[in-house]
Amino acid sequence: MKRLVPLAGIEVLVWAMLLLCMLLISRVAFEITIGTGTLLDRIATQTVRVLMSGIIILVWLVAWKKITDRYFWRTIARRKAT
Amino acid sequence: MLDFLPTVSIALVFAVSFLVTFASTPIIGKIMRKRGITGKDVHKLESKKLPEMCGLAILLGLTVGVAIYTLIFPNAIREAAAFIGTVLIAGAIGIVDDLRPLSARIKPLLTAAACVPILLLGTYDPLPVIPFVGPVRFTIIYPLLIPIALAVTSNSVNMMDVMNGTMAGTVSVIAVIITAILLIAGRTETAALAAGLLAVSLAFYYFNRYPAKVFDGDTGSLAVGAALGALAILGRIETVVVVALIPHIMNAFYGLASVGRLYERREIRQRPIRLLKNGELQASEERGAPITLARVILAAGPWGEKEISRAMIILTLISSILAALTFGITMVGKI
């Protein structure tokens, strides 16, 4: 089960990154307000907030994939070398 | 009726759901075998044929459990109807997929439709609680995100159902944490539904653990995934469930990202793992093969199916602990 240690590490890192993303969403995405508060303004505000949050989450997913890809191919290369 | 004894009520829903699934799984298994509805247990040297679609026992257990739930919590009948409606729609899509495989594009669209009971009965609160932010008002956008959420949870749980016991084992771990969190949050009614999910997952795990005697099929995995999504929405623990599902999302997202499109396991020519002559499994070194969680676990060297299944459950246990921490952070943020 020793081989699970790096994978557990990736999980914790990904979780920490998710929390960071949440902080970013709260400080950046949710600060956006469009217009004066009519129904159209509210729809536009919520849409932009969701889109912005979506972009932040996408960055999180891409970073997560890069970390795992790197771990995977490095481990395969190390195993081949030994 | 038993409002003054929430623990007893939850225990009752748990016991009934567990017993129904535990008793019906072997019976459904026999029926499926008789009808020739079987699937190959591919990760073994002697690839036996096992009865498929035994996830029907999960649906049965949850349905009876929810019926008991409505007797205990008559005021929560809308919540119960939304939950079981979502589960049964996802289960029905699974039945169709088990009997006549659906395309990789159609399945997520259909599973998204499982949210109809939640939307129709209005059993959602468009105020998701986000760490550091607290409750966020998403009156207009939230209902549009519900179908996406259900498609993600049901299909990611379905894609994790690759080894003996992984689906039932990992969902059992998540259901324990969700039940505990909902109890702490004071949402007893939703906690009882989560306890029902825990019961059916544990009962099914007994038959599906390595070496499996039955397969749940998409009937079971899509229904269970939809149940998790429904609990996240009904219990307002969306972020917590996302964190608990990290291994499942990891498995699904990596597979999709490495193949570059939605795919079905049977469509993939370059398999992510292969069976060795000694019965162990090895990660494929081909660049085009999907990078699944099993393949990542096997990067360090060959391993048996039992060990991989256990590893997936351990990784889910870690993510579930992180989910509990996320809930703690959210609670602290609210104080």
Side-chain angles (χ1 to χ4, degrees):
Chain A
M1 290 289 157
K2 232 165 120 186
R3 68 170 76 183
L4 289 186
V5 175
L7 290 176
I10 291 174
E11 270 193 295
V12 175
L13 185 65
V14 163
W15 173 70
M17 279 163 50
L18 176 68
L19 291 185
L20 191 72
C21 285
M22 295 292 173
L23 202 63
L24 261 177
I25 288 171
S26 70
R27 297 283 148 85
V28 180
F30 288 173
E31 291 299 315
I32 300 169
T33 310
I34 297 168
T36 49
T38 61
L39 181 67
L40 268 178
D41 290 341
R42 276 173 51 211
I43 293 173
T45 301
Q46 287 194 21
T47 309
V48 171
R49 284 180 179 179
V50 168
L51 280 176
M52 193 64 158
S53 308
I55 292 168
I56 294 171
I57 293 296
L58 205 66
V59 171
W60 170 63
L61 285 170
V62 170
W64 181 0
K65 188 180 175 330
K66 292 254 180 224
I67 293 166
T68 313
D69 271 359
R70 206 179 157 86
Y71 163 77
F72 177 75
W73 291 113
R74 272 193 167 197
T75 314
I76 290 275
R78 205 177 304 141
R79 186 164 57 82
K80 265 179 158 179
T82 54
Chain B
M1 191 165 67
L2 287 171
D3 277 4
F4 59 96
L5 276 178
T7 320
V8 175
S9 319
I10 290 170
L12 193 61
V13 173
F14 178 91
V16 170
S17 306
F18 183 90
L19 286 174
V20 171
T21 302
F22 195 81
S24 61
T25 302
I27 299 166
I28 292 172
K30 272 183 194 164
I31 296 168
M32 292 303 158
R33 195 181 282 281
K34 225 176 193 179
R35 297 197 165 205
I37 302 171
T38 55
K40 271 188 186 174
D41 196 1
V42 289
H43 296 128
K44 292 179 184 69
L45 289 174
E46 288 174 42
S47 68
K48 283 184 195 166
K49 282 199 164 186
L50 297 179
E52 273 278 8
M53 250 174 81
C54 296
L56 282 171
I58 293 176
L59 292 181
L60 193 64
L62 271 178
T63 308
V64 178
V66 169
I68 298 291
Y69 169 93
T70 52
L71 292 177
I72 301 169
F73 303 105
N75 295 335
I77 196 158
R78 273 174 63 221
E79 194 178 40
F83 176 75
I84 201 65
T86 301
V87 170
L88 290 177
I89 291 175
I93 295 161
I95 292 171
V96 174
D97 192 38
D98 281 333
L99 295 174
R100 197 177 170 180
L102 298 165
S103 86
R105 285 184 188 169
I106 296 286
K107 204 156 66 173
L109 283 177
L110 287 177
T111 46
C115 72
V116 169
I118 296 175
L119 290 176
L120 282 182
L121 294 165
T123 48
Y124 61 89
D125 195 348
L127 291 164
V129 185
I130 297 175
F132 306 118
V133 185
V136 181
R137 187 169 289 282
F138 270 146
T139 324
I140 301 157
I141 299 291
Y142 192 85
L144 304 175
L145 297 176
I146 294 176
I148 300 170
L150 280 171
V152 169
T153 55
S154 51
N155 286 285
S156 59
V157 169
N158 173 244
M159 289 173 89
M160 190 74 153
D161 195 14
V162 286
M163 306 266 165
N164 290 177
T166 49
M167 188 284 290
T170 56
V171 171
S172 298
V173 172
I174 295 172
V176 170
I177 294 288
I178 288 181
T179 309
I181 284 172
L182 288 168
L183 274 175
I184 293 166
R187 291 172 209 136
T188 315
E189 288 94 340
T190 322
L193 293 174
L197 178 64
L198 169 63
V200 295
S201 306
L202 277 177
F204 195 78
Y205 179 71
Y206 179 81
F207 299 99
N208 186 237
R209 74 188 198 279
Y210 182 91
K213 293 174 187 74
V214 295
F215 288 144
D216 57 315
D218 287 2
T219 309
S221 57
L222 289 178
V224 164
L228 278 176
L231 287 172
I233 294 160
L234 299 174
R236 293 180 63 201
I237 48 167
E238 298 89 344
T239 317
V240 168
V241 173
V242 167
V243 174
L245 281 172
I246 280 179
H248 300 73
I249 297 170
M250 188 190 251
N251 180 56
F253 171 65
Y254 289 166
L256 296 177
S258 50
V259 174
R261 61 179 170 85
L262 292 167
Y263 68 93
E264 277 291 314
R265 283 192 285 268
R266 56 185 173 270
E267 292 173 14
I268 299 297
R269 287 193 185 161
Q270 291 168 309
R271 307 300 302 173
I273 52 176
R274 63 193 185 94
L275 184 62
L276 299 174
K277 282 179 183 169
N278 63 0
E280 287 192 323
L281 296 159
Q282 189 182 43
S284 161
E285 289 172 16
E286 287 178 81
R287 287 262 163 194
I291 300 178
T292 60
L293 184 60
R295 194 177 172 204
V296 174
I297 292 170
L298 287 170
W303 229 5
E305 185 183 10
K306 190 179 179 181
E307 284 75 28
I308 302 168
S309 177
R310 199 180 292 163
M312 287 179 171
I313 294 170
I314 291 171
L315 289 174
T316 308
L317 179 65
I318 295 166
S319 67
S320 297
I321 293 167
L322 295 175
L325 283 173
T326 310
F327 175 72
I329 292 168
T330 312
M331 292 305 280
V332 169
K334 277 168 90 177
I335 300 165

